[in-house]
Amino acid sequence: MRLAKCWLAADRSDKAEIVLTHLLDEDPKQLWAIKLLAGVYQKTQQAAKAVPFFTRYLALGAKLDPPAELQLARIYRQASLYDDAAFYYLKAAEEPKQKMAAEVELADLLSWQGRYDEAVQGFRQVLAAEPANRQARLSLARVLSWAGYYQESEDEYRRLLAKP
Amino acid sequence: MRTRAIVTGFIASALVLGPARAADPAVPSPSPTAAPSAEADISDTAARLELAKVLTYDKKYAEAMDVYRQILATEPDNLEAKIGLTEVLYWSGNSEAAAATLKGVPEDKLDDKGKLMLADLFVAKKDYEPAIRIFSTYLDRKPDDWAVRLKLADVQSWTKQYPEAIASYEAILKARPHDRQVRRKYGMVLSWAGQNEKAAEQLRQSLNE
């Protein structure tokens, strides 16, 4: 474990990956190694490789804290596993501190699925609770334009540009 | 085995996501797999550029021009705003003002969209040679852009460069053999070039397709 962490501290993800893979070959149920290796893949933008290790980590009964749930949602999204991403966005949204971020990202994900009406509803829900959320208002303006609701989109851009 | 809570509204819809589909946005978003960063914010200029595009799509040209001019008032060298304003002016039928907007912008600073816009403006002014040069240079890199090749063919025919125009129409028809409008233009140019028998055959074919 120490060696793997040393390599990570030295920003040598490639070396850490070798050490952790070797450790997991010897004992596939080492939770800390699974989590660390998943983190290595996440850090190096290899979401498709990270997903199986997170899945194994959860299957072994480990729990994720809310920030990790949000990260996992992002990893599933990067891996184009949108259904799983949505599930973890919902889990992450249960934690008040990251509720808004999770709901904005979920609505954004819906917009990319072409589910414009649901996405609009999601962004409006966020803005009802947090009217100054610029990210949500910008995303709402964009989705409205994609859906062809130009007047409403214009209104949201103008609200975004209006100084508070 | 995880369980899912019964939820309502948009949250419920998240649980029945369909297959991934790349949106075709009028305004940008990074990608379907990239989550928007909570820290990421948009500058007023970028938001105005998006607003101007939305106004343009909504055919509110005067308002779109106002927004582009607001940007240019504070950032006179903003190329995206200049090109956007040029487009709106051109579509509104004001090609002189459109040309004036792009005046002074070095051609090599323009992206493809800007260069093609400039070529269209040259065509509108009947200044065909620079338009032919821009279209040809662009087509060297993107030979399958048939819309631009058709513009080139038309301009070549108007300037009596018949062999070049004929070659351009033939290239288009090779890729789009059932395009009657192109075949009809091809037939006309063949007749202007004195190739009457071939022209008649092409015009006849354009009527039969």
Side-chain angles (χ1 to χ4, degrees):
Chain A
M1 178 161 84
R2 192 172 300 162
L3 180 57
K5 285 190 172 174
C6 280
W7 283 123
L8 284 175
D11 208 20
R12 291 297 306 266
S13 299
D14 55 335
K15 296 281 188 187
E17 180 188 354
I18 292 168
V19 172
L20 291 166
T21 305
H22 181 68
L23 283 167
L24 286 171
D25 284 344
E26 288 177 353
D27 180 1
K29 292 187 176 177
Q30 291 188 78
L31 279 177
W32 67 268
I34 296 169
K35 191 178 181 187
L36 217 50
L37 187 53
V40 167
Y41 288 133
Q42 181 191 354
K43 190 181 171 195
T44 53
Q45 304 286 312
Q46 299 182 79
K49 282 187 175 177
V51 163
F53 287 96
F54 273 114
T55 306
R56 197 198 301 183
Y57 184 73
L58 295 168
L60 289 168
K63 300 285 181 202
L64 291 176
D65 57 11
E69 286 169 350
L70 185 55
Q71 286 306 313
L72 187 53
R74 289 170 178 159
I75 288 166
Y76 276 125
R77 180 175 181 158
Q78 281 173 24
S80 304
L81 296 167
Y82 301 121
D83 202 12
D84 291 300
F87 174 77
Y88 280 101
Y89 277 133
L90 292 177
K91 294 275 287 177
E94 290 169 11
E95 163 64 40
K97 279 186 183 169
Q98 57 188 21
K99 179 178 166 60
M100 289 301 156
E103 288 189 349
V104 167
E105 290 183 28
L106 175 57
D108 188 70
L109 182 63
L110 287 166
S111 75
W112 274 100
Q113 300 299 312
R115 303 177 71 94
Y116 299 134
D117 289 343
E118 292 96 327
V120 165
Q121 193 183 343
F123 288 127
R124 288 202 195 287
Q125 195 169 304
V126 170
L127 286 166
E130 204 175 82
N133 188 320
R134 284 174 60 84
Q135 182 62 50
R137 195 167 302 282
L138 173 65
S139 299
L140 173 60
R142 287 174 173 169
V143 174
L144 287 165
S145 85
W146 300 348
Y149 300 129
Y150 295 128
Q151 181 59 56
E152 289 178 61
S153 173
E154 178 193 337
D155 293 343
E156 294 303 335
Y157 276 114
R158 292 198 188 281
R159 283 189 192 109
L160 185 72
L161 285 161
K163 297 296 174 197
Chain B
M1 181 84 176
R2 67 193 184 202
T3 55
R4 289 175 172 171
I6 297 170
V7 286
T8 57
F10 97 99
I11 291 198
S13 66
L15 299 177
V16 287
L17 291 172
R21 187 184 75 82
D24 180 20
V27 286
S29 185
S31 83
T33 55
S37 164
E39 291 78 36
D41 200 0
I42 188 171
S43 69
D44 278 3
T45 298
R48 282 202 175 90
L49 283 169
E50 291 188 14
L51 169 61
K53 284 176 191 166
V54 170
L55 290 165
T56 305
Y57 296 133
D58 206 14
K59 296 187 171 58
K60 293 180 173 177
Y61 296 136
E63 289 174 61
M65 284 186 236
D66 283 346
V67 175
Y68 282 127
R69 286 184 176 124
Q70 280 172 22
I71 297 167
L72 290 168
T74 53
E75 295 180 30
D77 295 326
N78 189 308
L79 269 185
E80 206 176 334
K82 278 193 178 186
I83 293 169
L85 179 58
T86 304
E87 278 179 341
V88 180
L89 284 163
Y90 180 67
W91 293 336
S92 311
N94 197 343
S95 56
E96 275 187 28
T101 305
L102 276 192
K103 196 176 174 185
V105 178
E107 200 178 304
D108 62 354
K109 296 277 182 203
L110 296 173
D111 60 8
D112 280 345
K113 190 178 165 194
K115 283 178 184 158
L116 293 173
M117 185 76 247
L118 185 62
D120 285 341
L121 290 170
F122 281 128
V123 172
K125 286 198 306 180
K126 296 187 169 48
D127 190 359
Y128 296 129
E129 284 311 318
I132 288 174
R133 177 179 50 74
I134 293 171
F135 288 142
S136 299
T137 306
Y138 170 83
L139 287 166
D140 285 344
R141 285 183 293 105
K142 297 190 176 170
D144 295 340
D145 191 331
W146 305 116
V148 173
R149 195 168 291 282
L150 181 58
K151 286 183 182 181
L152 173 64
D154 288 345
V155 178
Q156 285 168 329
S157 73
W158 300 336
T159 51
K160 298 186 171 38
Q161 298 177 40
Y162 297 133
E164 291 84 357
I166 287 168
S168 296
Y169 286 123
E170 285 175 348
I172 299 167
L173 286 168
K174 193 173 175 188
R176 300 166 57 179
H178 302 297
D179 193 321
R180 294 171 60 174
Q181 294 300 325
V182 173
R183 192 169 297 282
R184 201 162 293 162
K185 285 183 173 186
Y186 175 48
M188 293 302 294
V189 174
L190 283 168
S191 75
W192 297 340
Q195 300 181 39
N196 293 324
E197 200 172 322
K198 208 170 166 186
E201 171 55 30
Q202 291 300 321
L203 291 169
R204 193 167 27 244
Q205 199 177 327
S206 76
L207 293 172
N208 293 338
E209 278 175 346

